[in-house]
Amino acid sequence: MPRLTKIILLAISVGILSVLWRDTFDSKLLSGAHVLLTGASRGIGEQMAYHYARFGSELVITARNKTLLNQVAEKCLQLGARKVFLISADLADPEGADRVVQFALEKLGSLDYLVLNHIGYVSLLMWNGNAEQTRSLMQVNFLSYVQMTAAALPSLTKTNGSIIVISSICGKLAIPFAASYSATKFALGGFFNSLRYELKLQKKNVSITLCILGLIDTESAMKETRDKGIVNKDAYPASDASLEIIKGGAVRAQEIYCPWKWKLILLIKEWSTLLTDWIILSKFN
């Protein structure tokens, strides 16, 4: 590796680490905050619900499984949530998105945080040409996010609120056995990064935090990787990832990475590509 390349990559690493070590989060930001959280019955969504509860937020939680939602709601109240309401909904149904947001507004009166975390079932398989399955996954993982954002945006605009979007490293890097899933996550990045600029142009003080997750030690992720013979010893703790997501949204960060190494990997990849292009082009000048 050329000396100049090493110096640049080292400088990038130092810069990233200095940002990552700077924690400006204040838990008072979430005391009494009105939060709508999707996918809250298990995994990262469940852990986020518990963290919001500890910070004294008022919650509306949703997922398909009402029994699990009731259990989460009870624990949230025990942990200190001021209010908890739940609504069972299947966001594969286009009407479900509007129904959930309207329920949250009726129960809470307004929204400070819209946390979009729900996901359709994903299995790590080679795409078999089933376009309908891709369309269905796009509805759950992308279009319902857009619909809920549209329904919640008027309230979020009034409260100078925040949208937190849970995405994946598969929305930054294309990998095999995840074509449809990856497409939905790339779509999230394209839409919400563009929307962030549009909100600024309209002088609307609504922040958008895109959360890029690697392998997290949720039950579903661990089972899927084990079944495929994938090593998962480096899976990131769901509770830690959930707290970082909440902090990122509260301080209105544009992007967060869990684990943070993915940010470094992507930056190195981008800089390496730029340097390679520069070296190639310089040979022709």
Side-chain angles (χ1 to χ4, degrees):
M1 183 182 291
R3 180 179 175 82
L4 176 60
T5 304
K6 291 181 179 180
I7 293 173
I8 292 175
L9 295 181
L10 178 60
I12 292 172
S13 302
V14 172
I16 293 172
L17 290 173
S18 65
V19 172
L20 289 169
W21 287 338
R22 183 170 170 264
D23 189 348
T24 60
F25 173 70
D26 182 352
S27 62
K28 293 179 182 178
L29 294 168
L30 297 175
S31 179
H34 294 175
V35 181
L36 169 54
L37 170 62
T38 71
S41 63
R42 62 182 72 197
I44 288 178
E46 178 185 358
Q47 295 302 316
M48 279 195 284
Y50 298 153
H51 284 305
Y52 276 120
R54 292 185 184 97
F55 293 131
S57 301
E58 299 183 13
L59 289 162
V60 167
I61 57 175
T62 186
R64 287 173 294 181
N65 192 314
K66 191 171 184 178
T67 300
L68 291 179
L69 276 178
N70 273 309
Q71 295 173 4
V72 174
E74 289 178 7
K75 186 170 181 179
C76 284
L77 290 172
Q78 294 171 4
L79 291 171
R82 295 190 181 185
K83 298 177 182 178
V84 184
F85 305 96
L86 63 91
I87 176 171
S88 175
D90 183 356
L91 294 173
D93 178 0
E95 296 182 0
D98 288 337
R99 183 166 65 88
V100 168
V101 173
Q102 291 309 312
F103 175 86
L105 291 173
E106 289 171 7
K107 295 299 183 181
L108 300 178
S110 64
L111 284 176
D112 298 303
Y113 293 92
L114 173 64
V115 187
L116 299 170
N117 168 68
H118 58 280
I119 189 174
Y121 175 74
V122 177
S123 183
L124 296 176
L125 295 171
M126 193 170 293
W127 190 64
N128 61 4
N130 189 338
E132 177 58 27
Q133 185 181 52
T134 301
R135 185 208 63 77
S136 177
L137 195 61
M138 188 67 76
Q139 169 61 42
V140 180
N141 289 8
F142 173 62
L143 292 175
S144 66
Y145 281 48
V146 175
Q147 289 175 273
M148 295 188 77
T149 297
L153 195 54
S155 179
L156 291 169
T157 300
K158 291 179 182 178
T159 62
N160 295 329
S162 301
I163 302 170
I164 301 174
V165 181
I166 311 305
S167 188
S168 164
I169 193 62
C170 290
K172 294 284 189 178
L173 297 172
I175 65 170
F177 309 112
S180 297
Y181 176 76
S182 184
T184 65
K185 297 303 183 179
F186 269 92
L188 286 177
F191 179 83
F192 283 101
N193 284 328
S194 179
L195 179 61
R196 185 187 296 112
Y197 286 117
E198 293 183 8
L199 292 173
K200 289 180 180 179
L201 290 172
Q202 298 174 68
K203 301 188 184 307
K204 293 181 178 180
N205 189 23
V206 177
S207 70
I208 295 177
T209 299
L210 195 63
C211 306
I212 312 301
L213 306 186
L215 181 60
I216 309 297
D217 69 352
T218 60
E219 181 180 348
S220 59
M222 292 298 93
K223 181 180 184 305
E224 186 67 27
T225 53
R226 280 196 303 268
D227 289 349
K228 298 298 186 298
I230 299 172
V231 176
N232 51 40
K233 64 179 181 179
D234 294 326
Y236 200 71
S239 181
D240 293 350
S242 302
L243 183 57
E244 290 182 33
I245 290 168
I246 289 172
K247 287 182 175 182
V251 301
R252 305 171 80 86
Q254 290 192 8
E255 280 191 346
I256 69 161
Y257 288 77
C258 295
W260 66 265
K261 68 179 181 181
W262 282 112
K263 178 66 173 177
L264 179 58
I265 290 169
L266 288 172
L267 279 174
I268 291 174
K269 178 178 179 292
E270 291 171 5
W271 275 98
S272 296
T273 300
L274 287 173
L275 284 169
T276 300
D277 291 344
W278 177 77
I279 291 170
I280 292 173
L281 290 173
S282 66
K283 293 183 182 296
F284 293 95
N285 294 332

